[in-house]
PDB file of all heavy atoms in Angstrom:
ATOM      1  N   VAL A 217     130.501  65.236  58.266  1.00  0.00           N
ATOM      2  CA  VAL A 217     130.447  63.999  57.491  1.00  0.00           C
ATOM      3  C   VAL A 217     128.997  63.544  57.365  1.00  0.00           C
ATOM      4  O   VAL A 217     128.544  63.147  56.288  1.00  0.00           O
ATOM      5  CB  VAL A 217     131.304  62.905  58.154  1.00  0.00           C
ATOM      6  CG1 VAL A 217     131.030  61.542  57.521  1.00  0.00           C
ATOM      7  CG2 VAL A 217     132.778  63.244  58.032  1.00  0.00           C
ATOM      8  N   GLY A 218     128.255  63.649  58.467  1.00  0.00           N
ATOM      9  CA  GLY A 218     126.858  63.222  58.473  1.00  0.00           C
ATOM     10  C   GLY A 218     126.023  64.020  57.486  1.00  0.00           C
ATOM     11  O   GLY A 218     125.221  63.460  56.741  1.00  0.00           O
ATOM     12  N   LEU A 219     126.210  65.349  57.479  1.00  0.00           N
ATOM     13  CA  LEU A 219     125.429  66.184  56.567  1.00  0.00           C
ATOM     14  C   LEU A 219     125.817  65.892  55.119  1.00  0.00           C
ATOM     15  O   LEU A 219     124.983  65.944  54.224  1.00  0.00           O
ATOM     16  CB  LEU A 219     125.657  67.656  56.876  1.00  0.00           C
ATOM     17  CG  LEU A 219     124.916  68.195  58.099  1.00  0.00           C
ATOM     18  CD1 LEU A 219     125.361  69.606  58.418  1.00  0.00           C
ATOM     19  CD2 LEU A 219     123.411  68.168  57.881  1.00  0.00           C
ATOM     20  N   TRP A 220     127.096  65.615  54.916  1.00  0.00           N
ATOM     21  CA  TRP A 220     127.577  65.398  53.551  1.00  0.00           C
ATOM     22  C   TRP A 220     127.185  64.027  53.026  1.00  0.00           C
ATOM     23  O   TRP A 220     126.867  63.866  51.853  1.00  0.00           O
ATOM     24  CB  TRP A 220     129.099  65.571  53.508  1.00  0.00           C
ATOM     25  CG  TRP A 220     129.608  65.530  52.097  1.00  0.00           C
ATOM     26  CD1 TRP A 220     130.370  64.564  51.535  1.00  0.00           C
ATOM     27  CD2 TRP A 220     129.355  66.493  51.068  1.00  0.00           C
ATOM     28  NE1 TRP A 220     130.611  64.868  50.222  1.00  0.00           N
ATOM     29  CE2 TRP A 220     129.994  66.033  49.904  1.00  0.00           C
ATOM     30  CE3 TRP A 220     128.634  67.689  51.027  1.00  0.00           C
ATOM     31  CZ2 TRP A 220     129.952  66.736  48.710  1.00  0.00           C
ATOM     32  CZ3 TRP A 220     128.588  68.383  49.829  1.00  0.00           C
ATOM     33  CH2 TRP A 220     129.238  67.909  48.690  1.00  0.00           C
ATOM     34  N   ARG A 221     127.167  63.010  53.922  1.00  0.00           N
ATOM     35  CA  ARG A 221     126.907  61.643  53.517  1.00  0.00           C
ATOM     36  C   ARG A 221     125.585  61.530  52.783  1.00  0.00           C
ATOM     37  O   ARG A 221     125.425  60.785  51.846  1.00  0.00           O
ATOM     38  CB  ARG A 221     126.884  60.739  54.752  1.00  0.00           C
ATOM     39  CG  ARG A 221     126.633  59.275  54.448  1.00  0.00           C
ATOM     40  CD  ARG A 221     126.710  58.478  55.713  1.00  0.00           C
ATOM     41  NE  ARG A 221     126.131  59.195  56.824  1.00  0.00           N
ATOM     42  CZ  ARG A 221     126.668  59.276  58.030  1.00  0.00           C
ATOM     43  NH1 ARG A 221     127.800  58.689  58.272  1.00  0.00           N
ATOM     44  NH2 ARG A 221     126.067  59.954  58.980  1.00  0.00           N
ATOM     45  N   ASN A 222     124.632  62.323  53.248  1.00  0.00           N
ATOM     46  CA  ASN A 222     123.304  62.206  52.676  1.00  0.00           C
ATOM     47  C   ASN A 222     122.891  63.581  52.190  1.00  0.00           C
ATOM     48  O   ASN A 222     121.904  64.152  52.623  1.00  0.00           O
ATOM     49  CB  ASN A 222     122.359  61.710  53.769  1.00  0.00           C
ATOM     50  CG  ASN A 222     121.156  61.050  53.192  1.00  0.00           C
ATOM     51  OD1 ASN A 222     120.921  61.130  51.979  1.00  0.00           O
ATOM     52  ND2 ASN A 222     120.383  60.430  54.029  1.00  0.00           N
ATOM     53  N   VAL A 223     123.685  64.116  51.252  1.00  0.00           N
ATOM     54  CA  VAL A 223     123.610  65.550  50.997  1.00  0.00           C
ATOM     55  C   VAL A 223     122.276  65.968  50.389  1.00  0.00           C
ATOM     56  O   VAL A 223     121.743  67.023  50.722  1.00  0.00           O
ATOM     57  CB  VAL A 223     124.819  66.004  50.139  1.00  0.00           C
ATOM     58  CG1 VAL A 223     124.734  65.469  48.737  1.00  0.00           C
ATOM     59  CG2 VAL A 223     124.944  67.502  50.156  1.00  0.00           C
ATOM     60  N   THR A 224     121.654  65.101  49.579  1.00  0.00           N
ATOM     61  CA  THR A 224     120.372  65.498  48.983  1.00  0.00           C
ATOM     62  C   THR A 224     119.308  65.647  50.063  1.00  0.00           C
ATOM     63  O   THR A 224     118.541  66.607  50.082  1.00  0.00           O
ATOM     64  CB  THR A 224     119.905  64.459  47.950  1.00  0.00           C
ATOM     65  OG1 THR A 224     120.029  63.167  48.547  1.00  0.00           O
ATOM     66  CG2 THR A 224     120.734  64.528  46.701  1.00  0.00           C
ATOM     67  N   MET A 225     119.310  64.690  50.995  1.00  0.00           N
ATOM     68  CA  MET A 225     118.351  64.753  52.102  1.00  0.00           C
ATOM     69  C   MET A 225     118.626  65.977  52.981  1.00  0.00           C
ATOM     70  O   MET A 225     117.700  66.664  53.407  1.00  0.00           O
ATOM     71  CB  MET A 225     118.480  63.477  52.943  1.00  0.00           C
ATOM     72  CG  MET A 225     117.391  63.346  53.957  1.00  0.00           C
ATOM     73  SD  MET A 225     116.076  62.378  53.320  1.00  0.00           S
ATOM     74  CE  MET A 225     116.403  60.853  54.167  1.00  0.00           C
ATOM     75  N   SER A 226     119.911  66.256  53.213  1.00  0.00           N
ATOM     76  CA  SER A 226     120.257  67.414  54.025  1.00  0.00           C
ATOM     77  C   SER A 226     119.740  68.692  53.372  1.00  0.00           C
ATOM     78  O   SER A 226     119.196  69.572  54.044  1.00  0.00           O
ATOM     79  CB  SER A 226     121.773  67.516  54.206  1.00  0.00           C
ATOM     80  OG  SER A 226     122.269  66.366  54.820  1.00  0.00           O
ATOM     81  N   ILE A 227     119.905  68.777  52.039  1.00  0.00           N
ATOM     82  CA  ILE A 227     119.446  69.984  51.343  1.00  0.00           C
ATOM     83  C   ILE A 227     117.935  70.109  51.462  1.00  0.00           C
ATOM     84  O   ILE A 227     117.406  71.179  51.768  1.00  0.00           O
ATOM     85  CB  ILE A 227     119.884  69.948  49.857  1.00  0.00           C
ATOM     86  CG1 ILE A 227     121.409  70.107  49.783  1.00  0.00           C
ATOM     87  CG2 ILE A 227     119.211  71.053  49.066  1.00  0.00           C
ATOM     88  CD1 ILE A 227     121.977  69.927  48.392  1.00  0.00           C
ATOM     89  N   ALA A 228     117.234  68.985  51.260  1.00  0.00           N
ATOM     90  CA  ALA A 228     115.770  69.014  51.381  1.00  0.00           C
ATOM     91  C   ALA A 228     115.369  69.488  52.770  1.00  0.00           C
ATOM     92  O   ALA A 228     114.470  70.325  52.939  1.00  0.00           O
ATOM     93  CB  ALA A 228     115.198  67.623  51.105  1.00  0.00           C
ATOM     94  N   MET A 229     116.071  68.968  53.763  1.00  0.00           N
ATOM     95  CA  MET A 229     115.770  69.330  55.163  1.00  0.00           C
ATOM     96  C   MET A 229     115.986  70.821  55.377  1.00  0.00           C
ATOM     97  O   MET A 229     115.148  71.505  55.970  1.00  0.00           O
ATOM     98  CB  MET A 229     116.696  68.493  56.049  1.00  0.00           C
ATOM     99  CG  MET A 229     116.559  68.670  57.510  1.00  0.00           C
ATOM    100  SD  MET A 229     117.375  67.300  58.368  1.00  0.00           S
ATOM    101  CE  MET A 229     119.089  67.743  58.258  1.00  0.00           C
ATOM    102  N   ILE A 230     117.114  71.321  54.861  1.00  0.00           N
ATOM    103  CA  ILE A 230     117.447  72.737  55.076  1.00  0.00           C
ATOM    104  C   ILE A 230     116.448  73.634  54.342  1.00  0.00           C
ATOM    105  O   ILE A 230     115.987  74.641  54.884  1.00  0.00           O
ATOM    106  CB  ILE A 230     118.900  73.009  54.615  1.00  0.00           C
ATOM    107  CG1 ILE A 230     119.866  72.364  55.608  1.00  0.00           C
ATOM    108  CG2 ILE A 230     119.162  74.502  54.508  1.00  0.00           C
ATOM    109  CD1 ILE A 230     121.296  72.324  55.150  1.00  0.00           C
ATOM    110  N   ILE A 231     116.070  73.244  53.118  1.00  0.00           N
ATOM    111  CA  ILE A 231     115.148  74.098  52.356  1.00  0.00           C
ATOM    112  C   ILE A 231     113.783  74.165  53.031  1.00  0.00           C
ATOM    113  O   ILE A 231     113.228  75.251  53.245  1.00  0.00           O
ATOM    114  CB  ILE A 231     114.994  73.581  50.900  1.00  0.00           C
ATOM    115  CG1 ILE A 231     116.289  73.844  50.130  1.00  0.00           C
ATOM    116  CG2 ILE A 231     113.824  74.273  50.211  1.00  0.00           C
ATOM    117  CD1 ILE A 231     116.286  73.289  48.725  1.00  0.00           C
ATOM    118  N   THR A 232     113.244  73.007  53.408  1.00  0.00           N
ATOM    119  CA  THR A 232     111.926  73.044  54.068  1.00  0.00           C
ATOM    120  C   THR A 232     111.997  73.872  55.331  1.00  0.00           C
ATOM    121  O   THR A 232     111.077  74.641  55.644  1.00  0.00           O
ATOM    122  CB  THR A 232     111.436  71.647  54.462  1.00  0.00           C
ATOM    123  OG1 THR A 232     112.500  70.749  54.413  1.00  0.00           O
ATOM    124  CG2 THR A 232     110.311  71.190  53.600  1.00  0.00           C
ATOM    125  N   MET A 233     113.094  73.698  56.066  1.00  0.00           N
ATOM    126  CA  MET A 233     113.219  74.446  57.301  1.00  0.00           C
ATOM    127  C   MET A 233     113.309  75.937  57.018  1.00  0.00           C
ATOM    128  O   MET A 233     112.711  76.753  57.717  1.00  0.00           O
ATOM    129  CB  MET A 233     114.460  73.965  58.034  1.00  0.00           C
ATOM    130  CG  MET A 233     114.142  73.585  59.442  1.00  0.00           C
ATOM    131  SD  MET A 233     115.587  72.919  60.163  1.00  0.00           S
ATOM    132  CE  MET A 233     115.210  71.246  60.298  1.00  0.00           C
TER     133      MET A 233
END
Side-chain angles (χ1 to χ4, degrees):
Chain A
V217 168
L219 283 172
W220 187 248
R221 181 177 38 224
N222 203 349
V223 69
T224 48
M225 190 94 103
S226 301
I227 291 173
M229 181 164 78
I230 288 169
I231 289 176
T232 15
M233 232 175 251

